[in-house]
Amino acid sequence: IAMSEATDPAGPWTETEAFLGTKMTPFAPFMTRLRTDDIEGTDGALDDIVVFTEPGALFLDDILYLSLSGATAGGVELIFLIASEDFGQSWYYVGELISKADAVSLGAERYDASSLVKIEDEVFLLASPMRNGLLHDGTSVFRFRDITHGTLEQSSDGQLVESNHIPVQTQFT
């Protein structure tokens, strides 16, 4: 995952640099600005992750949030949330949003391709379920109960609640 910065959206922009790496990747001599060891509060939650994919970003109430998929050699294991209150100079772990177990309970193998969206006063996580042999089977919409704590809406028995599902509009074979 790479990043560039500007004080104004019109530019000028900094050179693009590698942004986020895991404990294991990238391999020397390649470097990233940030490694999982640098994210405050992970407490080992990301130790087995070898690559991050599909970042979603939202700037809300002076906090920059990033949702990311974390994959092991076996595929995507979770979608998690990190945040920065100093425009990306330092980051802290907010929490796991969707685990592989959550995905199975919702009839999917796993979720990937996250995005963060604010509509009026509500914040949502969009994520694509992998199921029925499809890499991305549409988009599931999950409402945040509290993004500052990384909590999504849950049923009374603690299961994630899918607020909406947007079906695949076109399939390529």
Side-chain angles (χ1 to χ4, degrees), residues 1-7 13-23 25-27 29-40 52 64 66 82-91:
I1 294 175
M3 163 179 179
S4 62
E5 302 169 291
T7 56
W13 288 84
T14 62
E15 286 270 329
T16 301
E17 66 177 313
F19 169 62
L20 181 61
T22 70
K23 286 179 78 169
T25 58
F27 303 110
F30 302 105
M31 302 295 294
T32 57
R33 176 194 287 192
L34 180 69
R35 295 179 77 87
T36 50
D37 290 347
D38 301 320
I39 300 171
E40 182 183 322
F52 300 113
L64 177 59
L66 284 181
I82 60 175
S84 175
E85 296 179 12
D86 56 11
F87 302 101
Q89 298 306 304
S90 63
W91 292 87

Side-chain angles (χ1 to χ4, degrees), residues 13-100:
W13 288 84
T14 62
E15 286 270 329
T16 301
E17 66 177 313
F19 169 62
L20 181 61
T22 70
K23 286 179 78 169
M24 298 174 254
T25 58
F27 303 110
F30 302 105
M31 302 295 294
T32 57
R33 176 194 287 192
L34 180 69
R35 295 179 77 87
T36 50
D37 290 347
D38 301 320
I39 300 171
E40 182 183 322
T42 59
D43 297 325
L46 305 175
D47 284 356
D48 295 333
I49 302 302
V50 295
V51 68
F52 300 113
T53 65
E54 309 276 4
L58 179 67
F59 188 72
L60 179 68
D61 299 328
D62 294 324
I63 301 173
L64 177 59
Y65 293 96
L66 284 181
S67 61
L68 296 139
S69 295
T72 65
V76 175
E77 297 295 322
L78 75 154
I79 295 175
F80 65 97
L81 188 67
I82 60 175
S84 175
E85 296 179 12
D86 56 11
F87 302 101
Q89 298 306 304
S90 63
W91 292 87
Y92 59 92
Y93 184 72
V94 179
E96 180 177 286
L97 299 175
I98 302 177
S99 69
K100 201 169 177 181

